[in-house]
């Protein structure tokens, strides 16, 4: 994230190859946009909340995938049997699939496999980004619902990952 530049006059210094140049630069809102500074701040605030959810969700999904991979490696190394880890892997698969669509391999993958929570958050972010104004009540309501689903989904992923880590540690003797 870079700094948020608000309308005003700024002094800009360019230093290139030992030569310095300074000039004033005036930043103004596009006159075609009929949003106030407060509208744009509200838009930015909602965007940042959405992107925070996406970032946290991505991290938890990646940790769950890594935990699932460790379980599969433990099976391959004959530390555990498929039967011993089947329920944990099934829970990981279910909760990962609820949060993110990983089977998509083409531009029409969402038609074949459907969309997931991560997709819905990204679509909301795109809609808010394109509005160039204050988020609507619908934007806020949808985010509230998706945020609650993300928190619940992240809790499930964290519980699954914790369970997988316990099984892996017991199987490899690193409890």
């Amino acid at each position: 994230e870079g700094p948020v530049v608000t309308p005003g006059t700024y002094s800009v210094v360019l230093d290139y190859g030992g030569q310095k140049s300074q000039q004033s630069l005036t930043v103004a809102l596009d006159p075609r946009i009929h949003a106030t500074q407060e509208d744009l701040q509200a838009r930015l605030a909602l965007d940042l909340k959405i992107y925070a959810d996406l970032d946290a969700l991505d991290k938890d999904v990646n940790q769950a995938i890594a935990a699932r991979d460790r379980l599969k490696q433990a099976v391959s190394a004959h530390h555990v049997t498929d039967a011993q880890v089947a329920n944990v892997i099934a829970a990981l698969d279910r909760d990962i699939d609820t949060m993110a669509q990983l089977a998509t391999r083409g531009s029409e993958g969402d038609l074949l496999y459907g969309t997931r929570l991560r997709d819905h958050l990204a679509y909301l972010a795109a809609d808010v980004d394109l509005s160039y104004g204050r988020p609507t009540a619908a934007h806020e309501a949808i985010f509230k619902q998706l945020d609650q689903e993300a928190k619940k989904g992240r809790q499930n992923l964290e519980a699954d990952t914790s369970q997988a880590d316990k099984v892996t540690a017991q199987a490899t003797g690193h409890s």
Side-chain angles (χ1 to χ4, degrees):
E1 286 177 34
V4 175
V5 178
T6 58
T9 301
Y10 298 87
S11 179
V12 179
V13 178
L14 176 64
D15 185 352
Y16 182 75
Q19 291 185 310
K20 285 188 180 182
S21 171
Q22 183 171 347
Q23 185 172 352
S24 291
L25 173 69
T26 301
V27 175
L29 292 176
D30 186 328
R32 298 170 294 179
I33 297 175
H34 301 289
T36 66
Q37 186 65 32
E38 292 78 26
D39 292 341
L40 296 177
Q41 286 299 113
R43 175 181 170 253
L44 176 63
L46 181 57
D47 260 342
L48 291 175
K49 289 181 199 174
I50 296 168
Y51 287 114
D53 271 1
L54 285 167
D55 183 55
L57 191 58
D58 288 346
K59 288 176 181 173
D60 285 341
V61 166
N62 286 336
Q63 288 176 352
I65 290 169
R68 182 181 62 192
D69 290 347
R70 287 190 296 275
L71 283 175
K72 289 180 179 181
Q73 288 171 353
V75 170
S76 294
H78 304 292
H79 295 294
V80 293
T81 65
D82 283 325
Q84 290 173 304
V85 297
N87 289 340
V88 179
I89 289 176
L92 283 162
D93 286 342
R94 179 194 65 234
D95 292 333
I96 291 167
D97 187 58
T98 300
M99 298 296 108
Q101 179 50 260
L102 302 179
T104 303
R105 296 287 185 253
S107 63
E108 295 181 358
D110 57 335
L111 297 174
L112 294 171
Y113 302 106
T115 56
R116 302 296 191 266
L117 179 62
R118 192 195 184 292
D119 302 317
H120 300 168
L121 282 164
Y123 295 150
L124 177 61
D127 195 56
V128 170
D129 286 345
L130 292 173
S131 68
Y132 294 103
R134 180 175 292 277
T136 65
H139 286 138
E140 296 286 352
I142 291 168
F143 173 71
K144 185 177 178 181
Q145 177 186 343
L146 294 176
D147 182 53
Q148 289 172 351
E149 290 178 32
K151 284 183 173 100
K152 183 176 186 269
R154 290 185 58 228
Q155 288 173 345
N156 291 342
L157 287 170
E158 289 168 4
D160 295 343
T161 300
S162 176
Q163 183 62 31
D165 289 343
K166 286 178 188 173
V167 170
T168 303
Q170 289 171 353
T172 58
H174 298 102
S175 357

